[in-house]
Amino acid sequence: MSTATTTAAQELAAAPLPDKPVGRVRRKRVRESDDDSRKTNWWATALIAVCSLTVLVPLYLAVAVALKTPEQVANGTGFELPWPIRWENFADAWERTEFPQALLNTGLITVGSVIFTLLTSSLVAYALARNLQKRFFKGVYFYLLAALFVPFPIIMLPLVKQTSLLGLDNPFGLIVLYTIYGLSLNVFIYTAYIRSIPMELEEAARIDGASTWRVFWQIIFPLLGPMNATVGILTCVWAWNDFIMPLVILTDPGARTLPLAQYVFQGQYNTDYTVAFSSYLMAMAPLLIVYIFSQRWVISGVTRGSIK
């Protein structure tokens, strides 16, 4: 045997053996962890199923009553399947509520409220978040938070008087009021998120000569996408479904919103439930359609906001 052969044999003997069992154990542990993550939590699933009934049962009742005749509603419990189906209820609701005009009024108020809310609340929150160490700004912040604990019925009568004197008893006045009364909660939501944005981004922009106004609109506001989605959803649902504020503020019958238009079915001695429930479903449809087409952005925005 040559010297080269002996040296090669010694190096081969001294080389560490491949750690195959450890690799197999690691793969096995990974597979076990994957199996654990795929296990179904049946208690949580049962709880979610029971909670879903609180939404599905009233929704089924609304659809069933909307498709029945008044005689079927009077002679049953309301949960029976509608037969024969009476589609004329929707046509009656369309005419009696003047649905196109009410839908237009509600849409304009909702869109205006969302736009003004996003612009003003984000600006105020940015000013507070970047100066919260100062006494004045901290006092303003806690003052806005204190407004969350003031019930609306307490200020309702003075509000009616003031809006009448200022000429705000119209849809534009409602947009202003939704923007102002949503400021407290929206500032609370925005401020915590803005404070998590690194100051280095703003400092870099200021070195390049950007003003505070430009820093906000070109750097901060685009980063507020998750919070804009959250605040926009809350404001949209509130302005669309609100009944009390339009009832006490609006004085022109032609400016009434969908909740006010549906109030015509409430009589002193009787209520036309079939046509009323048809109008409720028609009022729900626009928001459901908007959510179906925008749910991807809504869910991703809320998820990114929670992660950050």
Side-chain angles (χ1 to χ4, degrees):
M1 182 180 295
S2 62
T3 305
T5 306
T6 305
T7 303
Q10 292 176 355
E11 292 178 354
L12 181 63
L17 296 175
D19 198 4
K20 293 182 179 179
V22 176
R24 292 177 182 175
V25 172
R26 289 178 179 174
R27 293 193 189 97
K28 186 175 181 181
R29 289 178 179 175
V30 171
R31 291 174 182 174
E32 289 178 355
S33 62
D34 292 342
D35 294 339
D36 293 339
S37 62
R38 294 174 183 173
K39 290 182 180 179
T40 304
N41 190 337
W42 293 108
W43 289 105
T45 304
L47 179 62
I48 294 173
V50 172
C51 292
S52 65
L53 296 178
T54 61
V55 177
L56 296 178
V57 172
L59 182 61
Y60 166 77
L61 181 63
V63 175
V65 173
L67 297 176
K68 291 181 179 181
T69 61
E71 292 76 15
Q72 291 175 341
V73 175
N75 298 329
T77 61
F79 289 94
E80 299 87 1
L81 291 175
W83 190 260
I85 296 177
R86 191 172 188 273
W87 298 103
E88 292 80 2
N89 293 333
F90 292 93
D92 295 341
W94 182 281
E95 295 178 359
R96 292 174 59 179
T97 59
E98 298 180 358
F99 190 82
Q101 183 62 41
L103 178 64
L104 178 61
N105 296 335
T106 306
L108 292 177
I109 292 173
T110 302
V111 173
S113 300
V114 171
I115 294 175
F116 275 86
T117 296
L118 293 180
L119 297 179
T120 57
S121 296
S122 58
L123 272 172
V124 174
Y126 175 68
L128 293 176
R130 291 303 185 232
N131 299 279
L132 205 56
Q133 70 279 3
K134 300 179 182 179
R135 183 176 301 178
F136 173 77
F137 289 92
K138 183 177 291 186
V140 173
Y141 178 71
F142 285 109
Y143 173 79
L144 292 176
L145 291 185
L148 292 172
F149 302 96
V150 179
F152 178 74
I154 294 179
I155 60 175
M156 184 170 61
L157 292 180
L159 180 66
V160 174
K161 185 66 174 178
Q162 291 177 2
T163 53
S164 177
L165 293 176
L166 297 175
L168 295 176
D169 50 350
N170 49 49
F172 178 75
L174 276 180
I175 294 175
V176 174
L177 292 176
Y178 285 133
T179 303
I180 294 174
Y181 285 118
L183 189 64
S184 300
L185 178 60
N186 298 333
V187 165
F188 176 73
I189 295 174
Y190 272 121
T191 301
Y193 189 83
I194 292 175
R195 297 191 70 185
S196 67
I197 299 177
M199 284 289 297
E200 288 76 7
L201 297 175
E202 301 180 34
E203 293 174 354
R206 293 183 187 279
I207 292 176
D208 293 336
S211 61
T212 303
W213 186 261
R214 187 175 180 182
V215 167
F216 175 77
W217 289 114
Q218 295 189 359
I219 297 178
I220 301 300
F221 192 77
L223 296 176
L224 296 179
M227 294 302 100
N228 288 335
T230 303
V231 172
I233 294 167
L234 295 175
T235 306
C236 180
V237 174
W238 177 33
W240 188 275
N241 295 326
D242 189 28
F243 174 77
I244 296 297
M245 196 177 298
L247 178 65
V248 299
I249 297 299
L250 296 178
T251 57
D252 183 9
R256 62 184 181 181
T257 59
L258 283 173
L260 289 183
Q262 294 167 349
Y263 192 63
V264 300
F265 300 108
Q266 184 68 37
Q268 183 177 2
Y269 302 105
N270 189 21
T271 301
D272 193 347
Y273 290 105
T274 57
V275 183
F277 276 76
S278 300
S279 69
Y280 301 156
L281 294 179
M282 291 166 58
M284 290 168 50
L287 277 185
L288 292 178
I289 294 174
V290 170
Y291 178 76
I292 290 173
F293 285 100
S294 63
Q295 61 178 334
R296 179 165 61 92
W297 293 278
V298 172
I299 295 174
S300 63
V302 175
T303 303
R304 284 187 288 128
S306 62
I307 293 174
K308 188 172 184 66

